């Protein structure tokens, strides 16, 4: 099963164009491993044009405009879901669920404007939240359309001209997203460029970019932070995690197995909040591994566009090589024979996993006491997501409060946040700053305080 892919395109100064720089990387059909042609990049002179346009762009973004974008996207959601599935390998049943984020991001941003997020006056003193200026949104390949929508909607709601660059591995759904946005925003307020690290470097190194929101790898985040430091430019960096699931001694076996299997295989393991470390009571290790394995063996493995598929291939043969390289000698794979293509079976390692793999691989670590379990959960320098499974919710919540991570879910394994209005923080190596409906919008703004001096004045003479 396949679909027709649209031409790779960029949008500069409200005009569509064709990227002309051919990259060394060959795009692939994840389901078969077949090459689909070269990845493409926007020419440097067109990137410069985009920067110049963004630097002088003006135009008000209203709640009505954001709602109109969401409405225009509704009829495009099936197409977006299919394109993201076809290019990432993620089952289309999952990419369809995630399209709720695409339209929801623009509607939530519109709601923030109506709620007055751009003003925070205090006792007659005006506090204006003003756009920082041209904003760069850098989006990874694992869920390109939802992540792009969240960042772009937030930056537009803040009033910033936006340049969006998606991964060179997944150039297609952003074109559909851009079509809907371009129908409604003033010229120059939104532009789309295509390309890889060289394009990203050209954008990040330019002082006309006043804010950078990036989701991706640790190396990319460090490069962006280094380029931004001399400019004192704010960066919002979400860099992944090596996330623990602590199974408490009283945990229900079926619940624990469901959580572990789902966290290991959602987006085929290609997501920043995936399971990295399964921390289990020593006396229950064997039964838990068997229960998780039973669920993994029952998964329907197949091509991403098949609506019956529950577990699909990884995005690219290059990534397959990386993930397989993380497997030690002592590991156990599940799911039966894998089809040809970029498939890697769900795998549990016999020992701890010290770094993020970004695939369906997790280490299994046994503990004797809950104190030891908490120490193990906090033993890596990442702090994005944590999970706790326990029958006594109060006890599980008490353990969750001790895990050093931005969000910790008790008895839950959904890809969505606990609440649409709570922040999504990143601690330590997992990033810098907080994402969220309100947090990302606020990131793209700076405060200006204006008022007549009053009762809080203190004069020295």
């Amino acid at each position: 099963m396949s679909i027709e892919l649209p031409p790779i395109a960029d949008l500069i100064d409200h005009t569509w164009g064709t990227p002309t720089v051919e990259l060394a990387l060959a795009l692939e059909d994840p389901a078969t491993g077949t090459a689909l042609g070269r990845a493409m990049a926007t020419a440097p002179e067109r990137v410069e044009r985009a920067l110049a346009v963004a630097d002088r762009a003006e135009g008000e973004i209203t709640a009505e405009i954001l709602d109109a974008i969401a409405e225009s996207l509704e009829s495009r959601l099936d197409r977006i879901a299919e394109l993201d599935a076809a290019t990432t390998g993620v089952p289309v049943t999952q990419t369809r669920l995630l399209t709720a984020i695409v339209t929801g991001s623009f509607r939530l941003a519109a709601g923030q404007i109506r709620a007055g997020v751009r003003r925070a006056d205090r006792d007659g003193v005006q506090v204006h939240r003003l756009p920082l200026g041209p904003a760069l949104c850098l989006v990874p390949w694992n869920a390109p359309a939802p992540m792009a929508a969240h960042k772009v909607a937030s930056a537009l709601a803040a009033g910033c001209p936006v340049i969006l660059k998606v991964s060179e591995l997944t150039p297609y759904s952003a074109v559909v997203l851009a079509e809907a946005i371009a129908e409604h925003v003033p010229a120059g307020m939104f532009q789309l460029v295509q390309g890889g690290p060289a394009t990203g470097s050209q954008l990040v190194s330019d002082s006309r970019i006043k804010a950078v929101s990036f989701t991706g790898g640790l190396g990319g985040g460090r490069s962006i932070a280094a380029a931004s430091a001399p400019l004192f430019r704010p960066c919002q960096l979400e860099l992944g995690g090596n996330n623990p699931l602590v199974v408490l001694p009283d945990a229900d076996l079926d619940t624990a197995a469901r959580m572990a299997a789902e966290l290991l295989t959602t987006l085929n393991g290609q997501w920043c909040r995936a399971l990295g470390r399964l921390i289990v009571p020593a006396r229950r290790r064997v039964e838990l591994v068997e229960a998780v394995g039973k669920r993994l063996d029952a998964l329907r493995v197949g091509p991403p566009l098949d609506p019956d598929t529950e577990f699909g291939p990884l995005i690219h043969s290059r990534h397959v090589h990386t993930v397989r390289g993380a497997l030690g000698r002592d590991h156990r794979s599940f799911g039966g024979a894998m089809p040809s293509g970029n498939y890697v079976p769900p795998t549990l390692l016999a020992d701890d996993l010290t770094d993020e793999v970004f695939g369906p691989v997790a280490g299994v670590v046994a503990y004797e006491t809950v104190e030891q379990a908490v120490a193990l959960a906090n033993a890596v320098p990442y702090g994005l997501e944590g999970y706790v499974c326990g029958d006594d919710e109060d006890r599980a919540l008490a353990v969750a409060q001790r895990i050093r991570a931005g969000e910790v879910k008790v008895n839950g394994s959904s890809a969505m946040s606990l609440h649409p209005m709570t922040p999504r923080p990143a601690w330590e190596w997992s990033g810098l700053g907080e994402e969220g409906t309100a947090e990302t919008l606020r990131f793209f703004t700076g405060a200006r305080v204006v008022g007549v001096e009053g009762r809080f004045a203190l004069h020295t003479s």
Side-chain angles (χ1 to χ4, degrees):
M1 184 179 295
S2 62
I3 61 170
E4 182 178 350
L5 298 173
I8 300 173
D10 54 28
L11 178 65
I12 312 294
D13 198 11
H14 231 59
T15 302
W16 288 100
T18 301
T20 57
V21 178
E22 188 175 279
L23 303 179
L25 178 71
L27 300 179
E28 293 178 357
D29 178 351
T32 63
T34 304
L36 299 175
R38 295 290 178 183
M40 302 298 294
T42 300
E45 58 270 21
R46 279 181 60 78
V47 175
E48 167 58 31
R49 172 72 174 163
L51 287 162
V53 168
D55 191 43
R56 66 169 187 268
E58 294 181 353
E60 183 182 6
I61 302 296
T62 64
E64 290 72 24
I65 286 175
L66 296 174
D67 279 336
I69 293 171
E71 188 63 30
S72 293
L73 283 166
E74 287 287 353
S75 62
R76 295 172 162 98
L77 291 183
D78 281 346
R79 179 65 167 155
I80 287 172
E82 289 176 348
L83 289 171
D84 277 359
T87 53
T88 65
V90 173
V92 71
T93 51
Q94 295 181 28
T95 60
R96 282 189 178 129
L97 288 173
L98 291 175
T99 58
I101 299 173
V102 176
T103 49
S105 293
F106 288 94
R107 292 192 172 112
L108 285 169
Q112 289 290 290
I113 292 176
R114 292 190 176 100
V117 72
R118 294 171 175 172
R119 291 290 293 270
D121 296 356
R122 297 290 180 88
D123 297 325
V125 177
Q126 300 173 12
V127 181
H128 302 262
R129 301 298 310 187
L130 302 173
L132 289 174
L136 176 60
C137 298
L138 300 171
V139 176
W141 49 257
N142 59 323
M147 292 193 191
H150 168 68
K151 293 180 188 294
V152 170
S154 300
L156 287 174
C160 294
V162 178
I163 297 177
L164 169 66
K165 191 195 86 67
V166 293
S167 168
E168 68 273 30
L169 287 168
T170 51
Y172 302 108
S173 64
V175 175
V176 181
L177 180 69
E179 288 171 350
I181 297 171
E183 290 174 359
H184 300 284
V185 300
M189 289 297 290
F190 172 80
Q191 300 177 94
L192 169 68
V193 300
Q194 302 278 5
T199 304
S201 179
Q202 181 181 354
L203 291 162
V204 168
S205 63
D206 198 289
S207 62
R208 287 169 290 187
I209 295 294
K210 301 304 181 185
V212 181
S213 178
F214 169 79
T215 299
L218 187 59
R222 284 175 168 153
S223 296
I224 291 167
S228 298
L231 303 172
F232 297 98
R233 179 177 59 200
C235 300
Q236 183 187 56
L237 307 175
E238 200 265 70
L239 308 178
N242 187 9
N243 310 296
L245 165 57
V246 176
V247 180
L248 295 177
D250 70 340
D252 175 73
L253 180 64
D254 190 60
T255 301
R258 174 189 57 77
M259 288 178 65
E262 187 170 16
L263 291 169
L264 191 64
T265 58
T266 295
L267 276 64
N268 305 334
Q270 302 173 129
W271 61 306
C272 54
R273 299 171 193 273
L275 177 64
R277 308 164 69 233
L278 180 58
I279 301 173
V280 301
R283 64 180 177 82
R284 300 190 65 187
R285 176 174 182 150
V286 172
E287 69 166 346
L288 281 163
V289 169
E290 291 301 319
V292 174
K294 185 176 180 180
R295 282 184 169 269
L296 295 174
D297 282 335
L299 290 173
R300 292 190 294 272
V301 180
L305 290 171
D306 185 336
D308 291 329
T309 294
E310 296 175 309
F311 181 78
L314 302 189
I315 186 170
H316 197 275
S317 58
R318 183 179 65 177
H319 190 50
V320 170
H321 179 76
T322 300
V323 172
R324 285 180 176 161
L327 304 182
R329 289 185 180 180
D330 196 357
H331 66 268
R332 185 174 172 185
S333 295
F334 302 90
M338 294 289 114
S340 60
N342 298 335
Y343 292 86
V344 172
T347 300
L348 294 177
L349 308 181
D351 52 15
D352 204 356
L353 188 64
T354 58
D355 209 348
E356 181 184 47
V357 174
F358 216 70
V361 178
V364 181
V365 192
Y367 68 86
E368 297 293 342
T369 67
V370 172
E371 287 294 322
Q372 185 185 9
V374 172
L376 285 166
N378 294 333
V380 295
Y382 293 92
L384 187 63
E385 193 83 12
Y387 305 92
V388 177
C389 181
D391 192 54
D392 185 325
E393 284 192 359
D394 289 338
R395 187 177 302 164
L397 284 166
V399 172
Q401 289 166 8
R402 299 172 62 193
I403 293 178
R404 193 172 175 80
E407 181 181 71
V408 185
K409 291 178 180 173
V410 171
N411 295 336
S413 50
S414 165
M416 305 299 284
S417 299
L418 284 168
H419 191 281
M421 295 306 296
T422 52
R424 297 190 294 276
W427 288 33
E428 297 190 58
W429 285 12
S430 288
L432 185 65
E434 299 177 353
E435 289 188 326
T437 298
E439 289 76 13
T440 302
L441 194 161
R442 189 161 53 244
F443 164 76
F444 290 110
T445 69
R448 179 178 295 158
V449 182
V450 179
V452 177
E453 186 176 85
R455 60 191 176 95
F456 296 105
L458 177 63
H459 295 281
T460 59
S461 61

